């Protein structure tokens, strides 16, 4: 080494806080040496309390059908859902979110506020059987409309924003009456949080909260979900109301509006490709519970790769969900919830 090279190495070492022999004050590997040290300095923690399990409920009895593009996820009748929830509760899962698959759909999505609907009946039963379980109901029309859009349509076949608001209010009230703790308007209809809040309050449900799908993107990652609920739009797409995946700043406007309208929790959806958005929302709205939705396409990708033997499911899922926590999420809606709850229990 020439004199000037030596001088250079030392000045770099000094700047980085490393002493000349390379065993310096900032040797970062020291705290990674053992599992105990790593646990001691871990920044983000994944816990069973963070998990929300999605459930697809149908009419009928004794029905249980696996969703082809989502191995391990089922469309189930109300009676069988009880058993799955019992297993989840036994593993410490504290919350579920319900999606309904009605036998009949119509242009106004009227099944969405039917007191005898699968979601409403499930809520009643689960409320009775699991008094401490947090029950969340997805509040949207797309599973209930024959055209598959998230609201009623205007003469140009576009979602009629304001006509849809009235229906969403009715849906939320019927869900609250059936025992929901939280309703989750997911249609990205402008003003949906205010409409739902007003309707709930007027019906005497001021104690029922709102988990707002605030930054919900027009994502191709929802395809397996639409398979599950047979709710793909019959024509067109949802880019006219869901967010453009290219936008992050706009997510802050959405979250601000929803909070202004009375949202108790806000959400970013999907999760994996949007962790920068999660971080920005977290930093802008400290103290507000922030939910991420680890969506169906994210689940399907992992399941497919693991079935092929290309990825190790447990490690990959824990890594992904921990990254969501690191990005700033408080809660994670995930189809992996039951597995993760089991893995976390085994770890202890
Ligand atoms: C709308 C709704 C959708 C999802 C949750 N709520 C579908 C959509 O917006 O097209 C997608 C969830 C997932 O992909 O896991 N009710």
């Amino acid at each position: 080494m020439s004199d000037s090279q030596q001088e250079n190495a030392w000045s770099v070492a000094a700047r980085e806080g490393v002493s000349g022999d390379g065993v310096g004050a900032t040797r970062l590997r020291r705290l990674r040496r053992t599992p105990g040290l790593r646990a001691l300095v871990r920044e983000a923690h994944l816990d069973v309390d963070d998990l929300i399990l999605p459930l697809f409920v149908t009419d009928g009895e004794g029905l249980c059908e696996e969703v082809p593009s989502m191995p391990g996820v089922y469309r189930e009748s109300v009676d069988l859902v009880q058993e799955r929830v019992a297993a989840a509760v036994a593993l410490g899962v504290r919350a579920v979110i319900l999606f309904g698959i009605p036998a009949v759909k119509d242009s106004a999505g009227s099944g969405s506020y039917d007191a005898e609907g699968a979601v409403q009946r499930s809520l009643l039963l689960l409320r009775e059987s699991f008094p401490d379980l947090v029950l969340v109901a997805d509040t949207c029309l797309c599973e209930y409309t024959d055209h598959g859009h998230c609201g009623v349509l205007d003469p140009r076949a576009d979602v009629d924003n304001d006509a849809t608001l009235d229906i969403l209010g009715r849906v939320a009230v019927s869900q609250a009456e059936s025992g929901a703790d939280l309703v989750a308007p997911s249609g990205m209809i402008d003003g949906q949080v205010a409409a739902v809040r007003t309707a709930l309050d007027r019906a005497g449900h001021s104690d029922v909260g709102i988990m707002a799908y605030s930054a919900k993107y027009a994502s191709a990652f929802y395809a397996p979900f639409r398979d599950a609920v047979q709710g793909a739009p019959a024509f067109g797409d949802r880019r006219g109301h869901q967010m453009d995946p290219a936008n992050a700043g706009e997510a802050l406007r959405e979250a601000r509006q929803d909070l202004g309208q009375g949202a108790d929790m806000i959400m970013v959806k999907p999760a994996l490709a949007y962790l920068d958005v999660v971080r920005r929302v977290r930093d802008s709205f400290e103290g507000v519970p922030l939910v991420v939705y680890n969506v169906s396409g994210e689940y399907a990708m992992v399941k497919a790769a693991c079935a092929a033997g290309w990825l190790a499911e447990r490690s990959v899922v824990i890594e992904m969900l921990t990254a969501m926590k690191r990005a700033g999420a408080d809660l994670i809606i995930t189809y992996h919830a039951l597995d993760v709850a089991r893995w976390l229990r085994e770890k202890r």
Side-chain angles (χ1 to χ4, degrees):
M1 209 184 264
S2 73
D3 279 0
S4 71
Q5 273 177 325
Q6 181 65 64
E7 201 181 279
N8 214 358
W10 278 334
S11 59
V12 168
R15 197 170 58 239
E16 308 254 304
V18 181
S19 68
D21 62 1
V23 190
T26 57
R27 183 151 172 179
L28 294 170
R29 287 182 54 185
R30 222 176 263 142
L31 298 181
R32 297 175 195 148
R33 198 170 49 83
T34 67
L37 285 163
R38 291 194 292 273
L40 208 59
V41 298
R42 190 156 296 138
E43 297 175 32
H45 296 275
L46 182 63
D47 193 272
V48 68
D49 289 346
D50 307 330
L51 306 173
I52 302 172
L53 172 69
L55 297 166
F56 296 109
V57 294
T58 66
D59 292 325
E61 239 180 86
L63 298 176
C64 176
E65 205 185 349
E66 193 169 39
V67 180
S69 50
M70 302 176 73
V73 174
Y74 302 86
R75 292 184 275 249
E76 281 170 313
S77 51
V78 174
D79 51 328
L80 296 185
V81 152
Q82 291 263 83
E83 293 172 30
R84 191 167 309 280
V85 173
V89 168
L91 286 166
V93 171
R94 291 188 184 282
V96 298
I97 180 165
L98 296 172
F99 298 93
I101 306 157
V104 278
K105 308 191 183 208
D106 61 25
S107 65
S110 58
S112 56
Y113 49 84
D114 180 354
E116 293 295 312
V119 165
Q120 284 80 356
R121 286 192 302 122
S122 300
L123 287 168
L124 278 170
L125 272 174
L126 295 173
R127 178 77 301 149
E128 218 175 271
S129 312
F130 308 100
D132 298 329
L133 183 67
V134 176
L135 300 176
V136 189
D138 187 78
T139 309
C140 191
L141 301 190
C142 63
E143 291 108 273
Y144 300 91
T145 50
D146 51 13
H147 44 71
H149 284 282
C150 301
V152 288
L153 301 179
D154 65 18
R156 290 169 315 162
D158 195 9
V159 172
D160 184 332
N161 199 85
D162 297 2
T164 300
L165 291 177
D166 290 337
I167 305 179
L168 289 176
R170 286 182 75 169
V171 180
V173 168
S174 84
Q175 293 169 337
E177 268 158 15
S178 307
D181 295 293
L182 297 166
V183 296
S186 65
M188 293 300 279
I189 308 297
D190 279 324
Q192 61 182 3
V193 173
V196 162
R197 184 71 272 157
T198 307
L200 287 172
D201 290 349
R202 280 203 189 126
H205 294 292
S206 53
D207 53 348
V208 170
I210 299 177
M211 175 189 283
Y213 284 72
S214 302
K216 176 171 175 179
Y217 287 88
S219 171
F221 284 100
Y222 306 150
F225 175 96
R226 293 177 188 173
D227 197 16
V229 301
Q230 285 126 18
F235 54 86
D237 54 42
R238 297 194 176 138
R239 284 180 290 188
H241 46 108
Q242 298 180 344
M243 282 181 61
D244 184 339
N247 297 354
E250 190 187 337
L252 305 180
R253 294 183 65 195
E254 285 282 2
R256 192 172 301 116
Q257 281 199 5
D258 283 357
L259 288 167
Q261 291 175 28
D264 299 281
M265 298 183 178
I266 52 180
M267 192 194 300
V268 174
K269 174 187 172 190
L272 282 182
Y274 297 86
L275 292 185
D276 60 319
V277 179
V278 174
R279 170 48 57 194
R280 286 182 66 173
V281 170
R282 167 77 301 150
D283 288 346
S284 301
F285 302 98
E286 243 177 68
V288 181
L290 174 56
V291 187
V292 290
Y293 198 140
N294 176 214
V295 300
S296 57
E298 300 173 321
Y299 178 84
M301 286 197 301
V302 169
K303 285 302 219 186
C306 295
W310 297 336
L311 289 174
E313 184 166 354
R314 178 174 172 158
S315 310
V316 140
V317 170
I318 297 278
E319 180 177 336
M320 290 187 336
L321 268 52
T322 304
M324 294 167 201
K325 293 295 302 287
R326 190 197 63 229
D330 297 306
L331 299 168
I332 305 171
I333 301 176
T334 178
Y335 303 98
H336 298 288
L338 271 171
D339 288 331
V340 173
R342 199 173 309 113
W343 296 330
L344 291 173
R345 178 156 291 203
E346 281 164 18
K347 202 184 81 178
R348 257 182 267 135

